[in-house]
Amino acid sequence: MLRYRSAIEIGVDGREPGPLSAWHLDCYRRTEAGWQVQWSQATEIR
């Protein structure tokens, strides 16, 4: 499991890009091919 905070610029549905702060939670699984994301979520920080 990996939890981190990001500050990105994003545009949605054709709108002008704007700043977004978010917490991310990612779950990885180790396979023969290496580490693979199994689940990922981002939650906006208001």
Short mmCIF file of all heavy atoms in Angstrom, two decimals:
data_model
loop_
_atom_site.label_atom_id
_atom_site.label_comp_id
_atom_site.label_asym_id
_atom_site.label_seq_id
_atom_site.Cartn_x
_atom_site.Cartn_y
_atom_site.Cartn_z
N MET A 1 0.85 -1.16 0.00
CA MET A 1 0.00 0.00 0.00
C MET A 1 0.90 1.23 0.00
O MET A 1 1.92 1.25 0.66
CB MET A 1 -0.89 0.02 1.24
CG MET A 1 -1.82 -1.15 1.40
SD MET A 1 -3.21 -1.14 0.29
CE MET A 1 -4.22 0.12 0.94
N LEU A 2 0.46 2.21 -0.75
CA LEU A 2 1.21 3.46 -0.85
C LEU A 2 0.22 4.61 -0.74
O LEU A 2 -0.79 4.63 -1.46
CB LEU A 2 1.94 3.51 -2.18
CG LEU A 2 2.78 4.74 -2.48
CD1 LEU A 2 3.92 4.86 -1.49
CD2 LEU A 2 3.30 4.66 -3.90
N ARG A 3 0.49 5.56 0.15
CA ARG A 3 -0.35 6.74 0.31
C ARG A 3 0.52 7.95 0.09
O ARG A 3 1.60 8.06 0.67
CB ARG A 3 -0.98 6.77 1.70
CG ARG A 3 -1.88 7.97 1.90
CD ARG A 3 -2.53 7.90 3.28
NE ARG A 3 -3.44 9.01 3.47
CZ ARG A 3 -3.36 9.87 4.47
NH1 ARG A 3 -2.41 9.76 5.38
NH2 ARG A 3 -4.23 10.85 4.56
N TYR A 4 0.05 8.88 -0.75
CA TYR A 4 0.82 10.10 -1.00
C TYR A 4 -0.09 11.24 -1.40
O TYR A 4 -1.24 11.04 -1.78
CB TYR A 4 1.88 9.85 -2.08
CG TYR A 4 1.34 9.39 -3.41
CD1 TYR A 4 1.11 10.29 -4.44
CD2 TYR A 4 1.06 8.04 -3.65
CE1 TYR A 4 0.62 9.86 -5.67
CE2 TYR A 4 0.58 7.61 -4.86
CZ TYR A 4 0.36 8.52 -5.87
OH TYR A 4 -0.12 8.09 -7.07
N ARG A 5 0.43 12.44 -1.29
CA ARG A 5 -0.30 13.65 -1.62
C ARG A 5 0.26 14.21 -2.93
O ARG A 5 1.48 14.17 -3.15
CB ARG A 5 -0.12 14.67 -0.50
CG ARG A 5 -0.95 15.90 -0.65
CD ARG A 5 -0.75 16.80 0.55
NE ARG A 5 -1.59 17.98 0.40
CZ ARG A 5 -1.86 18.82 1.36
NH1 ARG A 5 -1.36 18.62 2.56
NH2 ARG A 5 -2.62 19.86 1.14
N SER A 6 -0.63 14.72 -3.78
CA SER A 6 -0.16 15.29 -5.04
C SER A 6 -0.75 16.69 -5.24
O SER A 6 -1.78 17.04 -4.67
CB SER A 6 -0.56 14.41 -6.22
OG SER A 6 -1.97 14.47 -6.42
N ALA A 7 -0.06 17.46 -6.05
CA ALA A 7 -0.54 18.77 -6.50
C ALA A 7 -0.36 18.76 -8.02
O ALA A 7 0.76 18.74 -8.52
CB ALA A 7 0.27 19.88 -5.86
N ILE A 8 -1.49 18.70 -8.74
CA ILE A 8 -1.43 18.59 -10.19
C ILE A 8 -2.33 19.64 -10.83
O ILE A 8 -3.10 20.32 -10.15
CB ILE A 8 -1.88 17.18 -10.66
CG1 ILE A 8 -3.33 16.89 -10.24
CG2 ILE A 8 -0.94 16.11 -10.13
CD1 ILE A 8 -3.88 15.59 -10.77
N GLU A 9 -2.22 19.76 -12.12
CA GLU A 9 -3.12 20.61 -12.90
C GLU A 9 -3.90 19.69 -13.82
O GLU A 9 -3.31 18.87 -14.53
CB GLU A 9 -2.32 21.63 -13.70
CG GLU A 9 -3.18 22.78 -14.13
CD GLU A 9 -2.37 24.02 -14.39
OE1 GLU A 9 -1.61 24.44 -13.51
OE2 GLU A 9 -2.52 24.54 -15.50
N ILE A 10 -5.23 19.81 -13.80
CA ILE A 10 -6.07 18.87 -14.53
C ILE A 10 -7.27 19.60 -15.15
O ILE A 10 -7.81 20.53 -14.57
CB ILE A 10 -6.55 17.73 -13.60
CG1 ILE A 10 -7.28 16.65 -14.37
CG2 ILE A 10 -7.37 18.27 -12.46
CD1 ILE A 10 -7.56 15.39 -13.57
N GLY A 11 -7.65 19.16 -16.35
CA GLY A 11 -8.85 19.66 -17.02
C GLY A 11 -9.81 18.49 -17.21
O GLY A 11 -9.41 17.42 -17.63
N VAL A 12 -11.09 18.70 -16.90
CA VAL A 12 -12.10 17.65 -17.00
C VAL A 12 -13.26 18.13 -17.88
O VAL A 12 -13.69 19.28 -17.77
CB VAL A 12 -12.63 17.27 -15.59
CG1 VAL A 12 -13.71 16.22 -15.67
CG2 VAL A 12 -11.49 16.81 -14.70
N ASP A 13 -13.75 17.25 -18.74
CA ASP A 13 -14.90 17.54 -19.59
C ASP A 13 -14.71 18.81 -20.43
O ASP A 13 -15.63 19.60 -20.57
CB ASP A 13 -16.18 17.65 -18.77
CG ASP A 13 -16.60 16.34 -18.14
OD1 ASP A 13 -16.30 15.29 -18.74
OD2 ASP A 13 -17.21 16.36 -17.06
N GLY A 14 -13.50 19.02 -20.94
CA GLY A 14 -13.24 20.15 -21.81
C GLY A 14 -13.05 21.48 -21.11
O GLY A 14 -12.86 22.50 -21.76
N ARG A 15 -13.10 21.49 -19.79
CA ARG A 15 -12.89 22.73 -19.03
C ARG A 15 -11.41 23.09 -19.00
O ARG A 15 -10.55 22.23 -19.17
CB ARG A 15 -13.43 22.59 -17.61
CG ARG A 15 -14.95 22.58 -17.56
CD ARG A 15 -15.43 22.50 -16.13
NE ARG A 15 -16.00 21.17 -15.97
CZ ARG A 15 -16.13 20.53 -14.84
NH1 ARG A 15 -15.73 21.06 -13.73
NH2 ARG A 15 -16.65 19.34 -14.81
N GLU A 16 -11.14 24.35 -18.74
CA GLU A 16 -9.76 24.82 -18.60
C GLU A 16 -9.07 24.07 -17.46
O GLU A 16 -9.69 23.85 -16.41
CB GLU A 16 -9.73 26.32 -18.29
CG GLU A 16 -10.00 27.19 -19.48
CD GLU A 16 -8.87 27.13 -20.50
OE1 GLU A 16 -7.70 27.21 -20.12
OE2 GLU A 16 -9.20 26.97 -21.69
N PRO A 17 -7.82 23.68 -17.66
CA PRO A 17 -7.09 23.02 -16.57
C PRO A 17 -6.95 23.94 -15.36
O PRO A 17 -6.82 25.15 -15.51
CB PRO A 17 -5.72 22.72 -17.17
CG PRO A 17 -5.95 22.73 -18.64
CD PRO A 17 -7.04 23.73 -18.88
N GLY A 18 -7.01 23.35 -14.19
CA GLY A 18 -6.85 24.09 -12.95
C GLY A 18 -6.12 23.24 -11.93
O GLY A 18 -5.94 22.03 -12.13
N PRO A 19 -5.70 23.85 -10.82
CA PRO A 19 -4.95 23.11 -9.80
C PRO A 19 -5.85 22.14 -9.03
O PRO A 19 -7.04 22.39 -8.84
CB PRO A 19 -4.42 24.21 -8.88
CG PRO A 19 -5.39 25.34 -9.05
CD PRO A 19 -5.88 25.26 -10.47
N LEU A 20 -5.26 21.02 -8.63
CA LEU A 20 -5.96 20.03 -7.81
C LEU A 20 -4.97 19.43 -6.83
O LEU A 20 -3.91 18.94 -7.22
CB LEU A 20 -6.55 18.91 -8.68
CG LEU A 20 -7.18 17.75 -7.92
CD1 LEU A 20 -8.51 18.18 -7.30
CD2 LEU A 20 -7.38 16.55 -8.82
N SER A 21 -5.32 19.47 -5.55
CA SER A 21 -4.56 18.78 -4.51
C SER A 21 -5.34 17.54 -4.14
O SER A 21 -6.57 17.59 -3.98
CB SER A 21 -4.38 19.66 -3.28
OG SER A 21 -3.57 20.76 -3.58
N ALA A 22 -4.66 16.41 -4.02
CA ALA A 22 -5.36 15.15 -3.74
C ALA A 22 -4.49 14.20 -2.93
O ALA A 22 -3.26 14.25 -2.98
CB ALA A 22 -5.76 14.47 -5.04
N TRP A 23 -5.17 13.34 -2.15
CA TRP A 23 -4.53 12.20 -1.52
C TRP A 23 -4.74 11.01 -2.44
O TRP A 23 -5.81 10.83 -3.01
CB TRP A 23 -5.17 11.87 -0.17
CG TRP A 23 -4.75 12.77 0.93
CD1 TRP A 23 -5.50 13.72 1.55
CD2 TRP A 23 -3.47 12.80 1.56
NE1 TRP A 23 -4.76 14.35 2.52
CE2 TRP A 23 -3.51 13.80 2.54
CE3 TRP A 23 -2.29 12.09 1.38
CZ2 TRP A 23 -2.42 14.09 3.35
CZ3 TRP A 23 -1.21 12.38 2.18
CH2 TRP A 23 -1.27 13.37 3.15
N HIS A 24 -3.71 10.20 -2.61
CA HIS A 24 -3.78 8.99 -3.42
C HIS A 24 -3.53 7.79 -2.53
O HIS A 24 -2.69 7.85 -1.63
CB HIS A 24 -2.72 9.01 -4.53
CG HIS A 24 -2.91 10.11 -5.51
ND1 HIS A 24 -3.54 9.93 -6.71
CD2 HIS A 24 -2.57 11.42 -5.45
CE1 HIS A 24 -3.57 11.07 -7.37
NE2 HIS A 24 -2.99 11.99 -6.63
N LEU A 25 -4.24 6.72 -2.80
CA LEU A 25 -4.03 5.45 -2.11
C LEU A 25 -3.95 4.37 -3.18
O LEU A 25 -4.89 4.18 -3.96
CB LEU A 25 -5.19 5.16 -1.15
CG LEU A 25 -5.07 3.89 -0.33
CD1 LEU A 25 -3.84 3.92 0.56
CD2 LEU A 25 -6.32 3.70 0.52
N ASP A 26 -2.79 3.73 -3.29
CA ASP A 26 -2.54 2.72 -4.31
C ASP A 26 -2.19 1.39 -3.66
O ASP A 26 -1.43 1.35 -2.70
CB ASP A 26 -1.39 3.13 -5.22
CG ASP A 26 -1.64 4.44 -5.95
OD1 ASP A 26 -2.81 4.79 -6.15
OD2 ASP A 26 -0.66 5.09 -6.33
N CYS A 27 -2.74 0.33 -4.18
CA CYS A 27 -2.46 -1.02 -3.70
C CYS A 27 -1.75 -1.79 -4.82
O CYS A 27 -2.29 -1.89 -5.93
CB CYS A 27 -3.76 -1.72 -3.32
SG CYS A 27 -3.50 -3.38 -2.71
N TYR A 28 -0.56 -2.29 -4.54
CA TYR A 28 0.24 -3.02 -5.52
C TYR A 28 0.32 -4.50 -5.16
O TYR A 28 0.20 -4.86 -4.00
CB TYR A 28 1.67 -2.46 -5.56
CG TYR A 28 1.77 -1.08 -6.14
CD1 TYR A 28 1.52 0.04 -5.37
CD2 TYR A 28 2.10 -0.91 -7.47
CE1 TYR A 28 1.62 1.31 -5.91
CE2 TYR A 28 2.20 0.36 -8.02
CZ TYR A 28 1.96 1.46 -7.23
OH TYR A 28 2.04 2.72 -7.77
N ARG A 29 0.56 -5.31 -6.19
CA ARG A 29 0.75 -6.75 -6.00
C ARG A 29 2.01 -7.16 -6.74
O ARG A 29 2.24 -6.76 -7.88
CB ARG A 29 -0.45 -7.51 -6.55
CG ARG A 29 -0.33 -9.00 -6.39
CD ARG A 29 -1.59 -9.67 -6.83
NE ARG A 29 -1.71 -9.58 -8.29
CZ ARG A 29 -1.92 -10.60 -9.10
NH1 ARG A 29 -2.08 -11.81 -8.61
NH2 ARG A 29 -2.01 -10.43 -10.38
N ARG A 30 2.83 -7.94 -6.09
CA ARG A 30 4.06 -8.43 -6.72
C ARG A 30 3.75 -9.67 -7.54
O ARG A 30 3.19 -10.63 -7.03
CB ARG A 30 5.11 -8.73 -5.67
CG ARG A 30 6.46 -8.99 -6.23
CD ARG A 30 7.45 -9.10 -5.11
NE ARG A 30 8.78 -9.30 -5.64
CZ ARG A 30 9.85 -9.40 -4.90
NH1 ARG A 30 9.74 -9.33 -3.59
NH2 ARG A 30 11.02 -9.57 -5.44
N THR A 31 4.14 -9.66 -8.81
CA THR A 31 3.93 -10.81 -9.70
C THR A 31 5.28 -11.21 -10.29
O THR A 31 6.30 -10.56 -10.05
CB THR A 31 2.97 -10.44 -10.85
OG1 THR A 31 3.61 -9.49 -11.70
CG2 THR A 31 1.65 -9.87 -10.32
N GLU A 32 5.29 -12.25 -11.09
CA GLU A 32 6.53 -12.67 -11.74
C GLU A 32 7.06 -11.59 -12.67
O GLU A 32 8.26 -11.48 -12.88
CB GLU A 32 6.29 -13.97 -12.52
CG GLU A 32 6.07 -15.18 -11.64
CD GLU A 32 5.87 -16.44 -12.45
OE1 GLU A 32 6.14 -16.43 -13.67
OE2 GLU A 32 5.45 -17.43 -11.86
N ALA A 33 6.17 -10.78 -13.22
CA ALA A 33 6.56 -9.70 -14.14
C ALA A 33 6.99 -8.44 -13.39
O ALA A 33 7.46 -7.49 -14.00
CB ALA A 33 5.40 -9.37 -15.07
N GLY A 34 6.81 -8.41 -12.06
CA GLY A 34 7.16 -7.23 -11.26
C GLY A 34 5.94 -6.73 -10.51
O GLY A 34 4.94 -7.43 -10.37
N TRP A 35 6.01 -5.50 -10.01
CA TRP A 35 4.93 -4.91 -9.23
C TRP A 35 3.85 -4.36 -10.17
O TRP A 35 4.15 -3.69 -11.15
CB TRP A 35 5.46 -3.79 -8.36
CG TRP A 35 6.30 -4.30 -7.24
CD1 TRP A 35 7.65 -4.41 -7.21
CD2 TRP A 35 5.84 -4.81 -5.99
NE1 TRP A 35 8.07 -4.95 -6.03
CE2 TRP A 35 6.97 -5.19 -5.26
CE3 TRP A 35 4.59 -4.96 -5.42
CZ2 TRP A 35 6.87 -5.74 -3.97
CZ3 TRP A 35 4.49 -5.48 -4.15
CH2 TRP A 35 5.63 -5.87 -3.44
N GLN A 36 2.58 -4.65 -9.85
CA GLN A 36 1.45 -4.18 -10.65
C GLN A 36 0.41 -3.54 -9.74
O GLN A 36 0.12 -4.04 -8.66
CB GLN A 36 0.81 -5.33 -11.41
CG GLN A 36 1.70 -5.95 -12.45
CD GLN A 36 1.02 -7.09 -13.19
OE1 GLN A 36 0.00 -7.61 -12.75
NE2 GLN A 36 1.59 -7.47 -14.32
N VAL A 37 -0.17 -2.42 -10.20
CA VAL A 37 -1.24 -1.76 -9.44
C VAL A 37 -2.49 -2.62 -9.51
O VAL A 37 -2.92 -3.03 -10.58
CB VAL A 37 -1.53 -0.36 -10.01
CG1 VAL A 37 -2.73 0.27 -9.29
CG2 VAL A 37 -0.32 0.54 -9.89
N GLN A 38 -3.08 -2.90 -8.35
CA GLN A 38 -4.31 -3.67 -8.28
C GLN A 38 -5.51 -2.75 -8.06
O GLN A 38 -6.62 -3.05 -8.47
CB GLN A 38 -4.24 -4.69 -7.15
CG GLN A 38 -3.20 -5.74 -7.37
CD GLN A 38 -3.49 -6.55 -8.61
OE1 GLN A 38 -4.49 -7.24 -8.71
NE2 GLN A 38 -2.60 -6.45 -9.58
N TRP A 39 -5.27 -1.62 -7.37
CA TRP A 39 -6.35 -0.72 -7.03
C TRP A 39 -5.75 0.65 -6.77
O TRP A 39 -4.66 0.77 -6.20
CB TRP A 39 -7.06 -1.25 -5.79
CG TRP A 39 -8.22 -0.44 -5.32
CD1 TRP A 39 -9.49 -0.48 -5.82
CD2 TRP A 39 -8.22 0.51 -4.27
NE1 TRP A 39 -10.27 0.41 -5.12
CE2 TRP A 39 -9.51 1.03 -4.17
CE3 TRP A 39 -7.25 0.99 -3.41
CZ2 TRP A 39 -9.87 1.99 -3.24
CZ3 TRP A 39 -7.60 1.94 -2.48
CH2 TRP A 39 -8.91 2.43 -2.40
N SER A 40 -6.43 1.71 -7.19
CA SER A 40 -5.94 3.06 -6.99
C SER A 40 -7.11 4.01 -6.80
O SER A 40 -8.15 3.88 -7.47
CB SER A 40 -5.11 3.48 -8.21
OG SER A 40 -4.60 4.78 -8.03
N GLN A 41 -6.96 4.96 -5.88
CA GLN A 41 -8.01 5.96 -5.63
C GLN A 41 -7.36 7.30 -5.35
O GLN A 41 -6.33 7.37 -4.68
CB GLN A 41 -8.85 5.53 -4.44
CG GLN A 41 -9.91 6.56 -4.07
CD GLN A 41 -10.73 6.16 -2.87
OE1 GLN A 41 -10.89 4.99 -2.58
NE2 GLN A 41 -11.26 7.13 -2.17
N ALA A 42 -7.98 8.37 -5.84
CA ALA A 42 -7.54 9.73 -5.54
C ALA A 42 -8.73 10.48 -4.94
O ALA A 42 -9.85 10.37 -5.43
CB ALA A 42 -7.07 10.43 -6.79
N THR A 43 -8.48 11.23 -3.86
CA THR A 43 -9.52 11.99 -3.19
C THR A 43 -9.07 13.44 -3.09
O THR A 43 -7.99 13.75 -2.57
CB THR A 43 -9.77 11.44 -1.76
OG1 THR A 43 -10.10 10.06 -1.86
CG2 THR A 43 -10.88 12.20 -1.07
N GLU A 44 -9.90 14.34 -3.60
CA GLU A 44 -9.57 15.77 -3.60
C GLU A 44 -9.43 16.30 -2.18
O GLU A 44 -10.20 15.94 -1.28
CB GLU A 44 -10.67 16.55 -4.33
CG GLU A 44 -10.41 18.03 -4.37
CD GLU A 44 -11.49 18.81 -5.09
OE1 GLU A 44 -12.53 18.24 -5.43
OE2 GLU A 44 -11.28 20.01 -5.29
N ILE A 45 -8.45 17.17 -1.97
CA ILE A 45 -8.27 17.87 -0.71
C ILE A 45 -8.84 19.26 -0.92
O ILE A 45 -8.35 20.01 -1.76
CB ILE A 45 -6.78 17.97 -0.32
CG1 ILE A 45 -6.18 16.59 -0.17
CG2 ILE A 45 -6.64 18.78 0.98
CD1 ILE A 45 -4.67 16.60 -0.03
N ARG A 46 -9.87 19.59 -0.20
CA ARG A 46 -10.51 20.92 -0.36
C ARG A 46 -9.96 21.92 0.62
O ARG A 46 -9.50 21.63 1.65
CB ARG A 46 -12.00 20.81 -0.19
CG ARG A 46 -12.60 19.98 -1.29
CD ARG A 46 -14.10 19.91 -1.14
NE ARG A 46 -14.61 19.02 -2.15
CZ ARG A 46 -15.48 19.38 -3.08
NH1 ARG A 46 -15.94 20.59 -3.10
NH2 ARG A 46 -15.90 18.53 -3.95
#
